[in-house]
Every structure is written in structure tokens, then in C-alpha cells.
């Protein structure tokens, strides 16, 4: 993104942040790291892997201690047999498994130490730290030739959340290389303020620099990606709904020198989002989810049922005067109908399902009723094209769709988390939808990509019990978090 002196440009680093230098690696940048090949390949075998949060899983007698299940990709994709279950009681994982911590509420990945293996970030926003209730924590688990092994804690910047309670550090996670050194930066959302880390990280979890992003407001959501084609990620903070703006702001990390405030996109809204090239022009596009409708017509509320917005990148990034393209379930060609509390846009993922070179968008609407079954949930796939995101060929998938395993039931929350990723190396993204309310454990729906879209015939359910979860008390919530965008609560 060009950083000029115009009022709408991105200009300088956010002011009024505390800089906390820590030990930095002196190694030369490893240019092979953080490419698509190692984006989430934890064991380095050339196949992307799938991390699934199960924050309701028990550990022994401790309810909702939380777990993450990692299923390793292969030419036959993923299964519950080739997997690792990780808790805060696993060898080498810092901290301790405690009741209602809900480890695995958020997950993300990147090669933090530049060794060629992806590492896993796990957010635990409900974890108590000392006397601070729900201060939250972030754990990094290190990748290697045998998969994930050992880990460290990523500590909040100095003075994080001073005077605040229930910050929920780790409720949102994003990664991206902002300075071109081959080491990713990490962004962490919370209810109090955003936190940013400049890589590389050492094996103690220490970054080269950490920052508090105080003047962004509540940094509940964060997006990182390259929208101007210079090979460097930009960072967008999404504070979430506030009084007078239920849709939430979209702000750059950088300042507008004419106002002294974070440069923003005044016509855009979003609680969560991702960057991907929807129109195939070589520039990343920002796609945000806005699930916050309101029957009383509160300012900034989304279309009834929720919506997504698309802002197109270019050589100058995304200009402040650009109006987003808006899609909802009353947009012609989008399956379904916009109904209050559908939560369309509560989660979304970007990937090329059909291998045509254009990024597609999978949208979750976990609050959607299927017939009379409230909150059974659905997903909608919208296709990328040379003209941008389109409703041509749009399709909805839920548990009453022909050939989708299972039956839609109330409170299944199908689409609570969604993910598009090529797990079998065939060049087409597979479609994954979390159904954390399914039975006592929760499940994933998994369909392979084809030239015509998801292969619904032959699709499968992968469930928490078969993945090795311990269940006790409330639901295990397997599938509540995947490595894509989801509105932080």
C-alpha cells in the first residue's frame, strides 16, 4: 500500500504504542518459509494440515479445559486416524489444563522461527493469568519433521490491558510478513487492545519487537494480507461493534497525518475478515463478515441475517473512498433468504475450490434455521471471477442437502467455523464446515474440491469422539475453530 502524505493514505506506524524489544534471531532470513507450501504444513511433508479447535473438550475430570486436534494432510486428504490431540497438559506445552479455560478457542499458523515447518498458534481467551480473570493467553506449538512438538507462550506486550478486566487476549489471531524478511508478524486481538509482534520468534516465544495498539480501540478482530501487490502484508484492525456503529470499523494500522487517527475505510464494516485475490488481478482483496443485524435498526446494523463485504485491492491498495460490494441472502443469486439472527458472515474462508485461478468465498451462517429447526446452520459458497465475487454458481450446503451426511437438527450450528484448504495437493481447496453442536462431541463436514465445485457425493463427517477427544459435562465443541476468519466473541 502506498504510504504518501494524502489524507487517505497509510503513512506512519501507529503512535502511542509501547515498544518492547526482546531477543532477536541473528540468522539470515529463510526465504522458503511462509510461502503457501508451509502455510500450515506442520510436518513438512508437502501437504497442508488441518488444526481443529475443540474448546469444550475435557481433560480428565476438568470440564471445558479445551483441546486442539491436528489432522495431517496427505494424497488422500485428512482423517481422524492420522492426528495429534493437544491440550495444555501435553508434554512440552506450557501452562496447565484447567477447567473452563477453553484452550483452542482460536487457531492460526505460520512458520514463526523460519525453520521451514509451520507452527501452530492457539488462543485461549478465557484463561485466568494470576489474579486477572480471563486475561487470556496465546500458545505457539512448534512444527517439525514429526509434526507438532513442544511449545512456548507468547506474552502480551508490557502494560497490556492496564486497568481492564476480562481482556480475552488471544480471541483473534492473524499472521503475515509485513517487512519482507521471511519472518511473519503476528497480530493478537482482545477486548482491550490489539497486540502486534514482529518476527522472527525464538523458541522461547519471544519476538523481535512487540507493540500495544492502544489507539486502534478494541482490537477484537484483525486481518493481515497484501492488498497492493508489493509482496508485504498490510494489517487491518476490526474493533467490532461499538455504540453507534453495530457494523464495526475497518482501520489500517497506520495513521492519517491529517487527523492523527488510524487511517480507515469509512464505507466499510466488518467483525472479521481475510484477504484473497477474488478477481485474479494479482492484488489481494479484503473480504469482511458483518453478522450483526438488529430488529430495531440500530446504526451500522447489517442487512437482516448478516452480510459480507468485498473491497478490491490494486496498485495503490484500497482507497478510503471505495464502497464495498455487499452480499447477503437477499442478494439475487445467493441461496436462502435474509432472516434476523442467521449470522451470515459470522465466519468465512477464502480458497480456490474449483482450480480456476480465482479465489472463492465460503460463508457460514450458523444461526440459520433449516425448516423449523432453529440454529441448525448453513454455509454458502460464492465464486470468484474476472469481474470479482459473483453469485453465478452460488450454492448452499447444510445437513439436509442431498448427500451431505447427517440430518439438520436444532442447535447443530453447521457453519460455525468454515475452512477452504487444499489438503490433498490436487490444486483445489477442500470445503470444511464445523458443526460444534452436533451430538455431544461436535463434527466437521469435509468435501473435496473438483472442477465443478465441492464433491458432495462422497463427502464425510469427521467427529470429535473418533478424533480422540475426552468428553465430560458440556459439549466438546469439536469444529468450533478452524484456521480461517471467525467473529471473535
Amino acid at each position: 500500500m502506498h504510504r504518501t502524505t494524502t489524507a487517505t493514505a497509510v503513512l506512519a506506524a501507529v503512535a502511542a504504542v509501547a515498544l518492547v524489544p526482546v531477543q532477536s534471531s541473528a540468522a539470515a532470513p529463510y526465504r522458503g518459509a511462509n510461502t503457501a507450501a508451509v502455510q500450515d504444513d506442520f510436518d513438512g511433508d508437502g501437504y497442508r494440515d488441518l488444526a481443529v479447535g475443540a474448546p469444550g473438550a475435557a481433560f480428565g475430570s476438568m470440564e471445558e479445559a479445551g483441546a486442539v486436534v491436528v489432522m495431517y494432510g496427505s494424497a488422500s486428504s485428512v482423517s481422524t486416524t492420522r492426528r495429534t490431540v493437544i491440550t495444555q497438559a501435553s508434554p512440552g506445552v506450557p501452562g496447565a489444563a484447567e477447567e473452563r479455560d477453553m484452550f483452542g478457542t482460536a487457531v492460526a499458523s505460520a512458520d514463526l522461527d523460519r525453520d521451514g515447518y509451520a507452527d501452530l498458534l492457539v488462543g485461549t481467551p478465557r484463561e485466568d493469568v494470576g489474579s486477572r480473570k480471563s486475561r487470556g493467553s496465546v500458545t505457539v506449538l512448534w512444527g517439525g519433521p514429526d509434526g507438532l512438538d513442544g511449545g512456548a507462550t507468547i506474552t502480551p506486550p508490557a502494560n497490556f490491558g492496564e486497568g481492564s478486566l476480562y481482556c480475552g487476549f488471544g480471541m483473534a489471531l492473524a499472521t503475515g510478513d509485513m517487512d519482507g524478511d521471511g519472518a511473519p508478524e503476528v497480530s493478537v486481538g482482545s477486548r482491550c487492545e490489539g497486540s502486534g509482534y514482529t518476527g522472527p520468534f525464538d523458541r522461547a516465544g519471544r519476538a523481535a519487537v512487540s507493540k500495544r495498539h492502544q489507539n486502534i480501540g478494541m482490537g477484537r478482530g484483525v486481518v493481515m494480507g497484501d492488498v497492493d501487490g508489493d509482496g508485504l502484508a498490510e494489517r487491518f484492525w476490526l474493533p467490532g461493534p461499538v455504540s453507534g456503529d453495530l457494523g464495526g470499523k475497518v482501520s489500517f494500522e497506520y495513521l492519517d497525518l491529517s487527523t492523527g487517527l488510524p487511517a480507515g475505510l469509512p464505507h466499510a464494516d466488518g467483525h472479521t475478515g481475510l484477504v484473497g485475490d477474488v478477481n485474479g488481478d494479482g492484488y489481494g482483496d479484503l473480504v469482511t463478515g458483518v453478522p450483526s443485524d438488529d430488529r430495531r435498526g440500530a446504526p451500522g446494523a447489517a442487512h437482516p441475517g448478516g452480510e459480507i463485504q468485498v473491497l478490491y485491492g490494486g496498485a495503490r491498495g484500497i482507497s478510503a473512498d471505495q464502497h464495498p460490494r455487499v452480499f447477503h441472502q437477499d442478494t439475487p443469486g445467493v441461496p436462502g433468504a435474509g432472516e434476523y439472527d442467521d449470522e451470515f458472515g459470522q465466519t468465512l474462508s477464502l480458497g480456490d475450490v474449483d482450480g480456476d485461478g480465482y479465489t472463492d468465498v465460503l460463508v457460514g451462517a450458523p444461526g440459520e434455521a433449516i425448516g423449523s429447526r432453529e440454529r441448525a446452520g448453513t454455509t454458502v459458497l460464492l465464486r470468484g471471477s474476472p469481474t470479482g465475487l459473483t453469485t453465478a454458481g452460488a450454492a448452499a450446503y447444510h445437513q439436509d442437502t442431498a448427500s451431505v451426511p447427517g440430518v439438520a437438527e436444532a442447535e447443530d450450528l453447521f457453519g460455525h467455523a468454515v475452512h477452504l484448504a487444499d489438503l490433498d495437493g490436487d490444486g483445489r481447496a477442500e470445503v470444511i464446515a464445523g458443526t460444534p453442536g452436533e451430538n455431544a462431541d461436535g463434527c466437521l463436514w469435509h468435501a473435496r474440491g473438483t472442477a465443478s465445485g465441492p464433491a458432495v457425493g462422497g463427502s464425510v463427517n469427521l467427529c470429535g469422539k473418533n478424533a480422540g477427544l475426552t468428553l465430560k459435562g458440556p459439549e466438546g465443541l469439536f469444529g468450533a475453530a478452524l484456521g480461517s476468519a471467525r467473529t471473535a466473541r
Side-chain angles (χ1 to χ4, degrees):
M1 184 168 298
H2 290 281
R3 297 180 173 101
T4 65
T5 56
T6 63
T8 61
V10 175
L11 295 166
V14 168
V17 295
L19 302 181
V20 186
V22 295
Q23 183 175 338
S24 175
S25 169
Y30 176 68
R31 292 290 177 178
N34 302 304
T35 63
V38 295
Q39 183 176 1
D40 41 18
D41 180 5
F42 304 119
D43 58 1
D45 66 353
Y47 293 97
R48 296 179 67 175
D49 305 316
L50 179 65
V52 185
F59 179 77
S61 63
M62 291 178 285
E63 299 177 2
E64 296 183 317
V68 175
V69 178
V70 175
M71 294 184 280
Y72 294 97
S74 70
S76 57
S77 195
V78 296
S79 72
T80 56
T81 56
R82 187 167 178 259
R83 42 78 174 165
T84 300
V85 180
I86 302 165
T87 72
Q88 285 183 293
S90 297
V93 176
E98 299 170 311
E99 192 157 284
R100 295 183 176 83
D101 272 355
M102 302 194 79
F103 178 80
T105 296
V107 293
S109 65
D111 181 9
L112 300 187
D113 56 359
R114 298 185 301 184
D115 66 352
Y117 298 95
D119 309 306
L120 178 64
L121 292 158
V122 182
T124 312
R126 286 182 56 174
E127 181 157 36
D128 297 339
V129 178
S131 61
R132 299 179 67 178
K133 296 291 185 182
S134 296
R135 197 288 306 268
S137 69
V138 173
T139 304
V140 55
L141 305 170
W142 303 111
D146 298 318
L148 296 169
D149 183 27
T153 298
I154 295 182
T155 305
N159 304 316
F160 169 83
E162 279 188 310
S164 301
L165 300 173
Y166 305 101
C167 284
F169 179 76
M171 65 193 307
L173 303 166
T175 63
D177 186 359
M178 300 178 69
D179 54 15
D181 67 351
E185 278 59 65
V186 172
S187 305
V188 180
S190 83
R191 297 183 189 90
C192 294
E193 58 202 27
S195 301
Y197 299 83
T198 299
F201 289 73
D202 64 21
R203 280 291 176 120
R206 295 174 297 195
V209 177
S210 61
K211 301 178 183 179
R212 297 167 63 209
H213 294 268
Q214 293 172 280
N215 64 340
I216 298 295
M218 290 191 301
R220 274 200 258 186
V222 59
V223 184
M224 300 179 73
D226 179 12
V227 298
D228 60 4
D230 64 357
L232 307 178
E234 282 76 48
R235 178 155 47 196
F236 302 87
W237 291 102
L238 308 176
V242 295
S243 178
D245 185 4
L246 199 58
K249 298 178 180 178
V250 179
S251 298
F252 296 130
E253 175 178 334
Y254 302 96
L255 292 182
D256 180 339
L257 293 186
S258 69
T259 64
L261 299 173
L265 300 173
H267 304 296
D269 300 297
H271 296 186
T272 191
L274 287 172
V275 170
D277 189 2
V278 173
N279 58 2
D281 65 354
Y283 300 102
D285 308 310
L286 176 63
V287 184
T288 62
V290 195
S292 55
D293 58 16
D294 186 85
R295 297 175 187 273
R296 297 164 295 180
H303 182 87
E307 65 190 46
I308 66 167
Q309 300 186 1
V310 184
L311 289 157
Y312 293 98
R316 297 184 62 83
I318 299 172
S319 65
D321 60 357
Q322 184 179 157
H323 287 257
R325 178 77 190 277
V326 178
F327 296 83
H328 45 70
Q329 286 185 289
D330 289 326
T331 300
V334 176
E339 300 164 317
Y340 285 108
D341 303 320
D342 281 349
E343 296 186 318
F344 183 85
Q346 192 263 349
T347 180
L348 55 88
S349 188
L350 277 60
D352 185 359
V353 173
D354 50 14
D356 66 354
Y358 301 100
T359 297
D360 307 311
V361 179
L362 182 64
V363 185
E368 173 99 338
I370 305 298
S372 62
R373 291 151 291 179
E374 297 291 331
R375 298 181 63 77
T378 192
T379 60
V380 173
L381 180 66
L382 302 174
R383 304 298 186 92
S385 76
T387 58
L389 197 63
T390 176
T391 62
Y397 305 95
H398 49 74
Q399 286 190 294
D400 275 2
T401 300
S403 298
V404 172
V407 176
E409 300 168 306
E411 303 298 331
D412 273 353
L413 302 177
F414 186 90
H416 178 82
V418 297
H419 196 53
L420 296 177
D422 180 10
L423 303 172
D424 58 8
D426 69 352
R428 300 184 181 100
E430 287 144 86
V431 174
I432 299 143
T435 313
E438 178 86 356
N439 303 325
D441 50 347
C443 297
L444 297 178
W445 176 57
H446 173 241
R448 298 177 79 158
T450 74
S452 58
V456 179
S459 63
V460 296
N461 272 350
L462 306 172
C463 298
K465 287 180 181 177
N466 294 331
L469 290 188
T470 299
L471 302 173
K472 178 181 174 61
E475 297 175 333
L477 302 179
F478 179 75
L482 299 166
S484 291
R486 184 171 60 87
T487 297
R489 302 293 190 184

